[in-house]
Amino acid sequence: MNRLCKTALWPTVLLATLGVAALSASPAFAVKQFKERFEKRYIKADSAEPKDAALREAYEKAGCNVCHEGESKKNRNAYGRALNEYLEKNDKDDDAKIDAALEKVESKRSVPGDDKSPTFGELLRQGKLPAGG
């Protein structure tokens, strides 16, 4: 292949590579009902309290990464792993079970095994995501 063809081909290969990378970097998707129950319990849309506004903003940025991390929805952060102890995907239509799991997890430490770390509930009340999202 001559030098001109190689030079013309390079931008096309680069753009194709970037396109594939962008498509494969989509965020993990949480179970919609779990996310809705979390939002109903913790996200105060109309509150002007600074901590509520901070949590709302962090939540909107984090999306599914409130519970998940990485590129696969199977990868959970500390908060997602804690919730997973009480919930299964087929619990998605059981609002009472979801709410009970959210409540139980509030008392768990954000860093498992570290008795000095704040609980997930303490972080949420401070206007912070439970796992740093």
Side-chain angles (χ1 to χ4, degrees), residues 12-60:
T12 304
V13 171
L14 178 64
L15 286 174
T17 302
L18 290 173
V20 169
L23 289 174
S24 66
S26 61
F29 293 101
V31 174
K32 178 183 166 205
Q33 292 88 339
F34 295 173
K35 186 176 179 190
E36 288 171 351
R37 298 309 296 174
F38 178 93
E39 188 172 329
K40 183 174 178 130
R41 184 175 183 93
Y42 302 112
I43 306 304
K44 299 173 181 149
D46 298 330
S47 176
E49 271 298 312
K51 64 181 179 62
D52 293 337
L55 180 59
R56 186 173 53 245
E57 184 178 326
Y59 171 78
E60 288 169 0

Side-chain angles (χ1 to χ4, degrees), residues 7-131:
T7 305
L9 187 59
W10 185 82
T12 304
V13 171
L14 178 64
L15 286 174
T17 302
L18 290 173
V20 169
L23 289 174
S24 66
S26 61
F29 293 101
V31 174
K32 178 183 166 205
Q33 292 88 339
F34 295 173
K35 186 176 179 190
E36 288 171 351
R37 298 309 296 174
F38 178 93
E39 188 172 329
K40 183 174 178 130
R41 184 175 183 93
Y42 302 112
I43 306 304
K44 299 173 181 149
D46 298 330
S47 176
E49 271 298 312
K51 64 181 179 62
D52 293 337
L55 180 59
R56 186 173 53 245
E57 184 178 326
Y59 171 78
E60 288 169 0
K61 277 186 180 177
C64 296
N65 289 325
V66 170
C67 298
H68 297 275
E69 62 188 6
E71 294 181 17
S72 171
K73 67 181 173 181
K74 293 179 182 180
N75 296 333
R76 295 179 182 92
N77 59 31
Y79 184 69
R81 288 189 298 273
L83 278 173
N84 192 52
E85 293 176 27
Y86 302 102
L87 291 172
E88 295 179 15
K89 189 174 183 176
N90 62 1
D91 294 327
K92 66 183 180 183
D93 296 321
D94 189 341
D95 289 349
K97 187 167 184 180
I98 298 167
D99 291 341
L102 291 169
E103 185 173 345
K104 287 176 189 173
V105 170
E106 285 180 17
S107 64
K108 291 191 171 265
R109 296 284 173 192
S110 58
V111 179
D114 181 355
D115 292 341
K116 295 183 180 185
S117 69
T119 65
F120 292 122
E122 289 169 340
L123 290 171
L124 288 161
R125 286 186 291 279
Q126 293 170 10
K128 299 175 184 174
L129 290 177

